């Protein structure tokens, strides 16, 4: 079938540079998936137009044993994304090893990692350092228990996918990794001759994790798949039966699954940015203003614009939601206020500073699964009232005011009596 390039990327948008490392025995095993990354599809039918959006990756495919394999040159990384379709490799060629892959992720870049029943030590070490522990036994299933993450897996329900590989478990201390695809109620990952016990129950049923994702604190993204075959040409076109013994119902959802998770993993979806921060006294703030000093209990307003990257339209579009909060912190939050947005993604909030002087932070810490994290922190000084800013008469002090005037009045009366009252001498003699 003739391959078709759907569109050309705008010249102003730089294409992502991606390296795919594959097994030397099967370099063409994932050619259809790689074509989708380049923006070339073998099926240009209209029903696939949403999946066939031009992505335009500058893709380099190299063997895992290539002596010229390297991720960086002169301290600078050469790629934005890394794909590891070589689960059985015991030693990479060139200057690549587990430590260099982890450094690649620590720099804020993205990784798509796959496993199989023949899992080498480098891949297992990278996964373990990221909080994912792969099991030892493989299985072949049709899985459809997808988690509800529209930003990662798309808004529409995916067809069941074919999976041949191993399950995984999470390090309980790592709260950044989460599952995308799990096994059915009858699934089990482990040696078939061992019965299910309390120790192995975590590898059975929906606890059997087949695909997972990690959003790091530096906004690097990793997708873990227990199967490398899930992205292979063979599984992309094979039919799936809804149950054993029934006729094939539809083509597997592997193609769309690979498209969706790779778009998220490589930053083409769920990528947020902020701009146009402004804050000041309520009613006096203009776009771009940043007042550094306030007085205790001042009414203030805070503005920020948040946008998300549209990988299909290749442009930044407004991000509109109702769960963005502003925190006013000094060690701990003193004030939390919900922000409202308009259709352009401009978020605003009006609130009041605490009745406490000191150095505060105006902070937004927005963390949602599937979206890049937004951390904004602006430092302001809050001073006490000056001597001429205090209220002269306080309602709570009126009893004290009354007592003061009573003392003054009593003093006047006593003084008048002492000065002008003359006692009668006759009565004094008595």
């Amino acid at each position: 079938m003739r391959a078709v390039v759907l569109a050309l990327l705008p010249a102003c948008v730089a294409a992502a540079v991606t390296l795919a490392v594959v097994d030397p025995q099967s370099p063409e095993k994932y050619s259809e998936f790689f074509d989708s990354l380049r923006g070339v599809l073998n099926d240009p039918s209209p029903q696939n137009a949403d999946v066939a959006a031009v992505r335009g990756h500058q893709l380099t495919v190299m063997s895992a044993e290539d002596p010229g394999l390297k991720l960086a040159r002169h301290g600078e990384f050469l790629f934005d994304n890394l794909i590891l379709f070589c689960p059985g490799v015991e030693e990479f060629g060139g200057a690549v090893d587990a430590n260099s892959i982890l450094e690649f992720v620590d720099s804020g870049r993205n990784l798509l990692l796959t496993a199989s029943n023949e899992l080498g030590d480098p891949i297992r070490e990278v996964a373990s350092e990221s909080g994912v522990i792969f099991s030892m036994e493989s299985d072949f299933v049709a899985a459809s228990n997808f988690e509800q993450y529209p930003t990662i897996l798309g808004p529409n329900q995916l067809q069941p996918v074919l999976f041949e590989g191993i399950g995984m478990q999470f390090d309980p201390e790592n709260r950044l990794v989460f599952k995308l695809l799990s096994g059915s109620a009858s699934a089990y990952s482990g040696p078939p001759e061992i019965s299910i016990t309390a120790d192995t129950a975590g590898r059975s049923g929906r606890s059997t994790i087949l695909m997972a994702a990690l959003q790091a604190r530096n906004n690097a993204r990793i997708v873990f798949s227990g199967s490398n075959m899930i992205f292979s040409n063979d599984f992309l076109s094979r039919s799936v039966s809804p149950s054993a013994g029934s006729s094939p119902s539809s083509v597997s959802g592997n193609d769309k699954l690979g498209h969706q998770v790779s778009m998220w993993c490589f930053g083409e979806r769920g990528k947020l940015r902020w701009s146009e921060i402004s804050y000041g006294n309520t009613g006096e703030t203009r776009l771009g203003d940043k007042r550094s000093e306030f007085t205790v209990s001042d009414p203030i307003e805070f503005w920020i614009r948040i946008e998300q990257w549209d990988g299909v339209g290749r442009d930044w579009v407004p991000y509109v939601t109702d769960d963005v909060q502003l925190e006013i912190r000094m060690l701990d939050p003193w004030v939390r206020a919900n922000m409202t947005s308009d259709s352009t993604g401009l978020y605003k909030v009006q609130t009041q500073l605490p009745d406490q002087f000191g150095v505060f932070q105006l902070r937004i810490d927005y963390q949602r699964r599937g979206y890049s994290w937004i951390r904004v922190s602006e430092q302001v000084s809050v001073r006490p009232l000056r001597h001429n800013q205090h209220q002269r008469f306080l309602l709570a002090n009126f009893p004290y005011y009354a007592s003061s005037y009573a003392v003054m009045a009593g003093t006047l009366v006593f003084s008048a009596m002492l000065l002008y009252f003359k006692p009668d001498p006759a009565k004094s003699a008595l």
Side-chain angles (χ1 to χ4, degrees), residues 194-343:
I194 298 179
S195 60
I196 299 178
T197 63
D199 296 332
T200 61
R203 301 189 304 229
S204 62
R206 291 186 62 87
S207 298
T208 304
I209 304 169
L210 307 179
M211 181 176 287
L214 182 146
Q215 174 91 37
R217 291 186 177 90
N218 62 353
N219 281 328
R221 295 174 175 180
I222 308 178
V223 170
F224 305 92
S225 174
S227 169
N228 62 325
M229 292 296 296
I230 203 171
F231 299 99
S232 66
N233 299 343
D234 184 27
F235 278 24
L236 294 184
S237 58
R238 190 179 295 187
S239 299
V240 180
S241 299
S243 61
S246 61
S247 58
S249 59
S250 62
V251 176
S252 70
N254 292 51
D255 188 13
K256 289 190 176 181
L257 174 64
H259 179 83
Q260 300 290 355
V261 298
S262 62
M263 282 196 71
W264 177 83
C265 181
F266 299 149
E268 299 168 60
R269 181 187 292 137
K271 185 177 180 180
L272 302 180
R273 74 173 183 181
W274 57 268
S275 61
E276 300 182 15
I277 287 184
S278 308
Y279 50 88
N281 290 102
T282 300
E284 302 176 4
T285 306
R286 293 180 175 84
L287 199 62
D289 290 350
K290 291 186 178 182
R291 183 172 178 177
S292 60
E293 185 177 287
F294 295 89
T295 306
V296 293
S297 302
D298 267 356
I300 66 168
E301 54 187 350
F302 187 96
W303 304 350
I304 186 173
R305 187 179 302 279
I306 302 179
E307 299 172 306
Q308 65 175 331
W309 176 251
D310 180 8
V312 177
R314 311 297 293 179
D315 195 11
W316 291 97
V317 298
Y319 177 70
V320 180
T321 186
D322 58 356
D323 57 353
V324 178
Q325 288 186 331
L326 171 69
E327 290 184 348
I328 302 177
R329 301 174 62 98
M330 185 170 61
L331 298 181
D332 295 317
W334 285 64
V335 176
R336 280 197 182 103
N338 290 327
M339 306 187 72
T340 58
S341 68
D342 56 19
S343 59

Side-chain angles (χ1 to χ4, degrees), residues 102-125:
L102 293 172
E103 290 175 0
F104 182 86
V105 175
D106 289 341
S107 68
R109 289 163 172 81
N110 310 309
L111 171 64
L112 174 58
L113 180 148
T114 62
S116 69
N117 59 329
E118 298 179 357
L119 189 59
D121 291 338
I123 302 298
R124 192 178 293 275
E125 181 180 351

Side-chain angles (χ1 to χ4, degrees), residues 58-269:
Q58 295 181 9
L59 183 65
T60 302
V61 181
M62 300 183 68
S63 169
E65 299 177 354
D66 194 320
L69 188 63
K70 57 184 175 181
L71 300 178
R73 179 188 295 126
H74 306 307
E76 297 290 335
F77 286 103
L78 304 174
F79 306 96
D80 303 313
N81 311 302
L82 176 62
I83 302 173
L84 296 180
F85 283 169
C86 50
V89 64
E90 291 292 344
E91 183 177 358
F92 288 98
V96 175
D97 56 13
N99 290 332
S100 63
I101 296 173
L102 293 172
E103 290 175 0
F104 182 86
V105 175
D106 289 341
S107 68
R109 289 163 172 81
N110 310 309
L111 171 64
L112 174 58
L113 180 148
T114 62
S116 69
N117 59 329
E118 298 179 357
L119 189 59
D121 291 338
I123 302 298
R124 192 178 293 275
E125 181 180 351
V126 171
S128 178
E129 291 292 333
S130 305
V132 173
I133 303 172
F134 285 106
S135 62
M136 304 298 294
E137 300 296 327
S138 65
D139 199 359
F140 182 87
V141 296
S144 59
N145 295 321
F146 296 100
E147 299 298 316
Q148 298 302 315
Y149 296 118
T151 307
I152 304 176
L153 299 176
N156 301 321
Q157 180 67 31
L158 297 174
Q159 294 289 335
V161 297
L162 291 172
F163 181 96
E164 182 181 7
I166 57 179
M168 66 189 82
Q169 293 178 293
F170 295 157
D171 185 344
E173 296 183 358
N174 191 337
R175 297 181 296 175
L176 303 178
V177 63
F178 53 95
K179 64 181 179 180
L180 299 178
L181 176 63
S182 58
S184 62
S186 59
Y188 173 70
S189 178
E193 65 274 7
I194 298 179
S195 60
I196 299 178
T197 63
D199 296 332
T200 61
R203 301 189 304 229
S204 62
R206 291 186 62 87
S207 298
T208 304
I209 304 169
L210 307 179
M211 181 176 287
L214 182 146
Q215 174 91 37
R217 291 186 177 90
N218 62 353
N219 281 328
R221 295 174 175 180
I222 308 178
V223 170
F224 305 92
S225 174
S227 169
N228 62 325
M229 292 296 296
I230 203 171
F231 299 99
S232 66
N233 299 343
D234 184 27
F235 278 24
L236 294 184
S237 58
R238 190 179 295 187
S239 299
V240 180
S241 299
S243 61
S246 61
S247 58
S249 59
S250 62
V251 176
S252 70
N254 292 51
D255 188 13
K256 289 190 176 181
L257 174 64
H259 179 83
Q260 300 290 355
V261 298
S262 62
M263 282 196 71
W264 177 83
C265 181
F266 299 149
E268 299 168 60
R269 181 187 292 137

